[in-house]
Amino acid sequence: MSDEEIKKMQEDAEKHADEDKKKKEMVEARNQADTLIYTAEKTISDAGDKISDDDKKPVNEAVAALKEKKDTEDVEE
């Protein structure tokens, strides 16, 4: 590769660095959400009748809300 091609690639990488950072943050947030969802659902399932419906309800509501939010493009949500 010529020096000019290398320089152009470096400039492109710098230009897209913020975009790449945002994508990385979004992927990490989605992965964390998926982990939280799985853990909460598995814990509720494993506990079975040991947990009352009153105790399960807020957890299930939070899981449902997280499922809705995890596919948005806003990392803060």
Side-chain angles (χ1 to χ4, degrees):
M1 294 180 76
S2 70
D3 288 341
E4 186 177 304
E5 289 173 322
I6 293 171
K7 185 174 181 172
K8 183 177 180 339
M9 290 176 71
Q10 287 174 332
E11 288 172 358
D12 286 343
E14 289 171 6
K15 188 186 315 181
H16 297 289
D18 288 338
E19 199 176 297
D20 292 342
K21 182 180 175 187
K22 288 178 185 177
K23 285 181 183 179
K24 180 182 177 194
E25 288 174 353
M26 194 69 232
V27 168
E28 289 173 349
R30 283 186 180 139
N31 287 341
Q32 186 177 16
D34 284 335
T35 300
L36 289 170
I37 290 167
Y38 172 79
T39 302
E41 289 177 336
K42 178 142 176 53
T43 301
I44 293 280
S45 174
D46 290 349
D49 294 337
K50 296 177 187 175
I51 300 175
S52 70
D53 288 340
D54 290 339
D55 290 335
K56 289 179 188 179
K57 185 178 178 182
V59 174
N60 288 331
E61 289 172 354
V63 166
L66 185 55
K67 284 181 178 180
E68 287 180 25
K69 299 285 183 180
K70 79 176 185 105
D71 291 326
T72 65
E73 293 300 318
D74 186 3
V75 175
E76 296 301 318
E77 285 191 47

